[in-house]
Amino acid sequence: QLVYELCLKQIHVTKRDLFYTDVKLFVKQGDSDDVLEDVACMLGCTRSSLQVVASEKGVVVGRISFEDAGDPIDCTRMGVGGKAIPPFVDRVTNIRSDAKFILLVEKDAAFMRLAEDRFYNTYPCIIMTAKGQPDVASRLFLKRIKTELNLPVLGLVDADPYGLKILSVYMSGSKNMSYDSAHLTTPDIKWLGVRPSDLDKYNIPEQCRLKMTEHDIKTGKALLNEDFIKKNPIWLKELELMVKTKEKAEIQALSNFGFQYLTQVYLPQKLKDGDWV
């Protein structure tokens, strides 16, 4: 009934709003979220088409402009923080860009470094992050701009199993929203870094490398059986190296060579060499 009302009035609410319509009925937000997913699955539609969205999480900056509900947005003029990715991606229109690629970043810290250094001016690109595990709006936005602009997507994540899991959600979807994967996934993401082989290639010092926990190793071994890993021999080799050495590293490990090493040395060298897989 609530969703029907939203669709009739053509207004959007957040998942939190939906929960607070009857907290005694739902008890906790997870319950109302589950009901919403069931409704979307039953109707065979996306959750966003039911007019219910998650709160803003992802951000974008760089060589892209668009209109958000008719308001012009220029992402080269959004400062270090970037532009919040609109939760109502269906209201984004008139997308324009002269970028050569999309740089998909796992973490907010790396995003801020790239934004502050205006990396997109030297290497024309669109930079976006969902600050960890991607939300639906970020996944929809990535698929939308990748499809409309026909740009390659390069992933920059930590050299650990969770960085790969984050890429897998963008590429093949999450298990709890598998019914909606066709609308949310961007299958052909290239792994730019940080890869396990980069630790020796770029001489990452021992004090910047972290020992993998037993849980990390278990997660890494489980990923070896995932289709998105098995179908790419180089990804498989990189993950096997990670599990064998039992070492991991965050993007921030590159800061050992200087805070701007990421934007002035590491990424320029990667892009020059075409070093993505």
Side-chain angles (χ1 to χ4, degrees), residues 246-276:
K246 299 180 180 179
E247 287 185 330
K248 61 182 181 178
E250 298 184 1
I251 301 169
Q252 281 67 45
L254 299 167
S255 298
N256 178 74
F257 302 113
F259 293 119
Q260 292 180 300
Y261 183 83
L262 173 69
T263 56
Q264 295 182 355
V265 179
Y266 179 76
L267 287 178
Q269 190 64 50
K270 284 268 186 181
L271 295 170
K272 179 184 176 183
D273 296 343
D275 186 15
W276 53 78

Side-chain angles (χ1 to χ4, degrees), residues 206-249:
E206 288 298 324
Q207 69 267 22
C208 297
R209 305 184 190 197
L210 302 170
K211 287 294 179 185
M212 292 173 68
T213 65
E214 287 300 318
H215 188 263
D216 292 336
I217 296 169
K218 183 179 178 181
T219 302
K221 288 180 177 177
L223 281 172
L224 288 170
N225 296 314
E226 293 284 345
D227 288 340
F228 83 101
I229 294 288
K230 289 194 292 185
K231 70 181 181 183
N232 190 320
I234 302 178
W235 285 43
L236 183 64
K237 186 178 178 181
E238 289 281 359
L239 184 54
E240 286 174 339
L241 175 64
M242 186 193 301
V243 173
K244 179 183 176 182
T245 60
K246 299 180 180 179
E247 287 185 330
K248 61 182 181 178

Side-chain angles (χ1 to χ4, degrees), residues 46 48 89 102 104 128 134-148 151 153 165-190 228 231:
T46 63
S48 56
V89 178
I102 300 166
L104 182 63
M128 64 170 285
D135 58 318
V136 171
S138 296
R139 291 158 62 191
L140 280 169
F141 187 77
L142 176 65
K143 182 176 177 68
R144 175 90 182 272
I145 62 174
K146 191 263 185 290
T147 302
E148 291 197 17
L151 294 174
V153 182
K165 285 190 79 170
I166 284 170
L167 284 184
S168 79
V169 174
Y170 282 111
M171 293 170 68
S172 51
S174 58
K175 290 178 181 177
N176 67 328
M177 292 192 70
S178 56
Y179 66 88
D180 203 15
S181 61
H183 301 94
L184 293 171
T185 54
T186 306
D188 50 347
I189 295 175
K190 303 300 182 185
F228 83 101
K231 70 181 181 183

Side-chain angles (χ1 to χ4, degrees), residues 36-47 49-50 179-180 183:
L36 184 63
E37 303 298 352
D38 289 344
V39 171
C41 188
M42 180 178 67
L43 296 176
C45 64
T46 63
R47 189 189 69 199
S49 66
L50 299 178
Y179 66 88
D180 203 15
H183 301 94

